[in-house]
């Protein structure tokens, strides 16, 4: 049995408001707020990498929980914007945190990444393979944003979230699900790009390409049923769920989920207003806001569901600890 024994987040200092984009592309603050709910997003400083933001999120976790991360046995990093493909970002985090020897993997599940990471951690702990797993959802999306594409560049932001999963006397993960509509994979993807780095050609991350309308319809049309499935799997009803935390892609998607489930928006935390769409960091950033306010407390039942490129989704119900 397992539970989350530490939780932390980080958002870069630099705040970019919607007016910034009025100078770059044909858009305006009113369109962005009305269509997405986004007012600001955070952008990583020059030279601030996904691993650097991850380390700051882990430091925040340590300062709040007192959990020592030096004995972490396995690190799962969920990102679509790794420092580089090899070595993976998990290994950079291990190095920067001074962890002696941990298994290190990056997983690429876009905005569903953080919940996939929790599923992997839960599997490792419950099978007895490891006793302490660090899960990080971190993104430097500003580096893979196409700032000439007005339909997508206004959406994304940078940030990180981290959780430690360890054995527990009581099971705190009450249900999991996941799935992928792979025939819609071409509606949200990352191009590849050849770059000359230090005089040598390397294939690096290109830019995000999204067919927003299709992804929007898929999210609003299918995520409420995935939530219902998860709740039934845990032998609960929606009345037993204190908070539903979907990936914060667009406030209108969260409103659609709220309406479909007849579940109040006050119980659907979001991070999109202040941080934009931070992909795998969006769920931790939304939870952090409520934890800081004291609305999410230990013992509460929190449903998280990530969705995005794939098009893939992953959900879990957690008894918050
Ligand atoms: O994180 C992974 C998962 N991703 C998502 O969940 C994202 C899902 N999609 C969305 O959030 C929304 O589809 C967007 C925010 C990307 C777009 O909102 P929309 O309401 O679906 O807009 P639309 O694409 O239907 O475009 C409506 C109009 C179009 O003009 P016409 O064809 O009606 O004349 C666009 O050209 O808005 C126009 N438009 C803009 N106008 C001002 C598109 N982008 C902009 C812009 N500023 N930045």
């Amino acid at each position: 049995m397992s539970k989350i024994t530490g939780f932390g987040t980080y958002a870069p200092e630099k705040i970019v408001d919607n007016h910034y984009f009025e100078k770059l592309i044909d858009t305006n603050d009113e369109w962005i707020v009305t269509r997405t709910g986004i007012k600001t997003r955070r952008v990583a400083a020059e030279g601030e990498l996904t691993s650097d933001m991850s380390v700051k999120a882990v430091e925040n976790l340590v300062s709040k929980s007192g959990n020592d991360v030096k004995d972490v046995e396995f690190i799962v990093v969920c990102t679509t914007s790794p420092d580089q493909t090899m070595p993976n970002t998990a290994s950079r985090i291990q190095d920067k945190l001074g962890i002696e020897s941990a298994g290190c993997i990056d997983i690429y599940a876009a905005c569903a990444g953080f919940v996939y990471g929790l599923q992997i951690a839960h599997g490792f702990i419950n099978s007895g393979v490891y006793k302490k797993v660090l899960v990080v959802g971190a993104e430097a999306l500003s580096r893979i944003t196409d700032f000439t594409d007005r339909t997508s560049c206004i959406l994304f932001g940078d940030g990180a979230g981290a959780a430690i999963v360890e054995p527990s006397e009581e099971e705190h993960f009450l249900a999991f699900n996941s799935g992928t509509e792979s025939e819609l994979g071409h509606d949200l993807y990352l191009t590849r790009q050849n770059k000359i780095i230090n005089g040598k050609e390397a294939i690096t991350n290109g830019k995000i390409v999204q067919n927003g309308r299709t992804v929007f319809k898929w999210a609003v049309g299918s995520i409420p049923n995935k939530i219902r499935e998860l709740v039934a799997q845990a032998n609960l009803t929606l009345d037993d769920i204190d908070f539903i935390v979907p990936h914060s892609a667009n406030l209108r998607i969260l409103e659609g989920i709220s309406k479909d489930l007849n579940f109040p928006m006050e119980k659907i935390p979001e991070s999109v207003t202040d941080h934009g769409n931070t992909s795998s960091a969006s769920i931790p950033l939304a939870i952090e806001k409520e934890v800081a306010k004291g609305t999410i407390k230990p013992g509460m039942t929190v449903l998280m569901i990530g969705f995005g490129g794939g098009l893939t989704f992953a959900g879990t119900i957690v008894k918050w600890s």
Side-chain angles (χ1 to χ4, degrees), residues 60-73:
N60 177 251
L61 175 159
V62 171
S63 73
K64 288 190 307 201
S65 65
N67 202 323
D68 183 7
V69 290
K70 291 281 189 274
D71 55 347
V72 158
E73 294 173 336

Side-chain angles (χ1 to χ4, degrees), residues 13-176:
E13 263 173 45
K14 187 176 172 190
I15 299 175
V16 172
D17 67 15
N18 293 337
H19 298 295
Y20 168 81
F21 294 94
E22 293 171 352
K23 291 170 233 141
L24 284 186
I25 47 163
D26 179 15
T27 193
N28 57 73
D29 175 59
E30 202 231 325
W31 189 95
I32 300 172
V33 173
T34 316
R35 294 292 181 131
T36 72
I38 298 168
K39 291 184 179 156
T40 57
R41 70 285 291 142
R42 301 293 188 100
V43 174
E46 210 186 322
E48 188 176 31
L49 302 177
T50 297
S51 62
D52 297 319
M53 291 189 280
S54 306
V55 166
K56 295 261 178 60
V58 176
E59 286 168 353
N60 177 251
L61 175 159
V62 171
S63 73
K64 288 190 307 201
S65 65
N67 202 323
D68 183 7
V69 290
K70 291 281 189 274
D71 55 347
V72 158
E73 294 173 336
F74 200 90
I75 305 172
V76 187
V77 175
C78 321
T79 185
T80 9
S81 42
D83 294 4
Q84 56 192 129
T85 309
M86 185 173 76
N88 62 26
T89 305
S91 67
R92 303 315 308 139
I93 294 171
Q94 170 180 313
D95 186 44
K96 289 175 184 180
L97 287 172
I99 295 170
E100 220 154 79
S101 176
C104 284
I105 55 166
D106 288 5
I107 60 159
Y108 306 118
C111 313
F114 187 72
V115 180
Y116 272 107
L118 291 177
Q119 298 192 353
I120 289 168
H122 168 265
F124 275 145
I125 300 292
N126 282 27
S127 60
V129 176
Y130 298 115
K131 289 193 188 63
K132 196 163 187 173
V133 179
L134 171 62
V135 178
V136 175
E139 303 288 359
L141 295 182
S142 58
R143 301 221 168 84
I144 55 169
T145 296
D146 177 357
F147 286 97
T148 65
D149 175 8
R150 72 170 183 161
T151 67
S152 69
C153 72
I154 43 102
L155 298 172
F156 303 115
D158 303 336
I164 296 276
V165 181
E166 290 184 87
S168 162
E169 305 220 318
E170 187 197 351
E171 186 53 77
H172 282 240
F173 289 98
L174 308 183
F176 285 109

Side-chain angles (χ1 to χ4, degrees), residues 21 25-29 31-32 34-36 38 110-112 141 149-156 187-188 210-220 247-253 277-280 282 307-309 311:
F21 294 94
I25 47 163
D26 179 15
T27 193
N28 57 73
D29 175 59
W31 189 95
I32 300 172
T34 316
R35 294 292 181 131
T36 72
I38 298 168
C111 313
L141 295 182
D149 175 8
R150 72 170 183 161
T151 67
S152 69
C153 72
I154 43 102
L155 298 172
F156 303 115
D187 286 306
L188 178 50
Q210 176 175 246
N211 181 353
R213 246 178 245 187
T214 305
V215 181
F216 187 99
K217 275 192 205 148
W218 169 75
V220 174
H247 163 47
S248 260
N250 184 324
L251 208 54
R252 283 163 52 224
I253 293 178
N277 177 345
T278 53
S279 192
S280 62
S282 90
F307 51 86
L311 299 175

